[in-house]
Structures are given as structure tokens and as C-alpha cells.
Amino acid sequence: QVHLVESGGGSVQAGGSLRLSCAVSEYRYSGTYMAWFRQAPGKEREGVASIYTNGGSTYYADSVKGRFTISQDNAKNTLYLQMNSLKPEDTAMYYCAAGSSWYGYRLRTADFGYWGQGTQVTVSS
């Protein structure tokens, strides 16, 4: 069983930055891909970024390319999401996810079987 615990959310003004962290138990068994998803009120959960855990290749949604960076620190069993140039439309609950699917680069919820509880990000204009 993999446990994921997110932290680092908060309230910032547009143009600001936040770094989200996801503490992972049993990181070696966290799966093929890890990812960040987000869900705004009344909207479906959407993929933000994913990383291939054994090679470090990263994938991003078009809406965050050039602004967000996903990374991992295996020594600390931690996944990160650096978010720069934040916009009001980035406001959402952000979730860390892990999965064994080889298709995690597609950023689809169905490819991830483990989820954290989420951390709220609010961006004001």
C-alpha cells in the first residue's frame, strides 16, 4: 500500500509562486509514474504533470507548460510541483497520484491507483 500526503498549498496573488510537496511511503513501490492532478469546484479532475519515476521524463498539460515543474527526490521520498506565474484559473485542490500503468504520460485519472487527500491552492487576481 502506498500512502501519499500533500503539503504546500495556500493563497497567493496572481503572478506568485508555490511549491507543493508529496511525501510518499515506500517510494520504490510507488509505481511507474507519479503525477499531480487538480480539481476546481464543479469541474472534473484534470492532469497537470507527470513524471516517469525510473527515468525522470516529465509531461505537462498545455495549460501549465512553461510555468510548472514536476520533480522527484528519491532520497527524501518526495514528489514536488513548483508552480510559477500562477493565475486565478490555477485555483483548485491539487492531488498527488501514483500508478503502475505505462500510460501515465497521458495524465488520465484511470492510470493512477493511489491518491493523496489533496492540498488547496487559491490564486487571487
Side-chain angles (χ1 to χ4, degrees):
Q1 186 74 15
V2 176
H3 295 283
L4 309 174
V5 180
E6 303 96 334
S7 63
S11 297
V12 296
Q13 290 190 328
S17 298
L18 282 174
R19 188 176 79 158
L20 306 183
S21 299
C22 174
V24 186
S25 67
E26 300 295 331
Y27 200 87
R28 290 182 303 161
Y29 306 104
S30 61
T32 308
Y33 280 89
M34 292 203 67
W36 288 95
F37 285 75
R38 66 187 181 187
Q39 188 167 19
K43 295 187 177 181
E44 291 188 354
R45 192 169 296 189
E46 63 173 354
V48 174
S50 66
I51 186 167
Y52 178 52
T53 58
N54 290 327
S57 296
T58 57
Y59 305 88
Y60 297 92
D62 288 343
S63 59
V64 305
K65 281 181 182 177
R67 300 189 298 123
F68 291 11
T69 302
I70 188 171
S71 62
Q72 58 184 1
D73 185 333
N74 291 349
K76 296 182 178 180
N77 290 355
T78 304
L79 180 74
Y80 299 101
L81 184 68
Q82 178 67 44
M83 304 186 295
N84 299 327
S85 302
L86 282 161
K87 304 175 181 179
E89 50 264 43
D90 294 318
T91 295
M93 185 72 78
Y94 282 71
Y95 298 90
C96 175
S100 299
S101 167
W102 288 100
Y103 301 101
Y105 60 89
R106 300 185 304 186
L107 293 174
R108 296 182 183 179
T109 56
D111 290 314
F112 295 87
Y114 298 102
W115 295 85
Q117 295 299 308
T119 185
Q120 178 68 37
V121 172
T122 302
V123 185
S124 59
S125 58

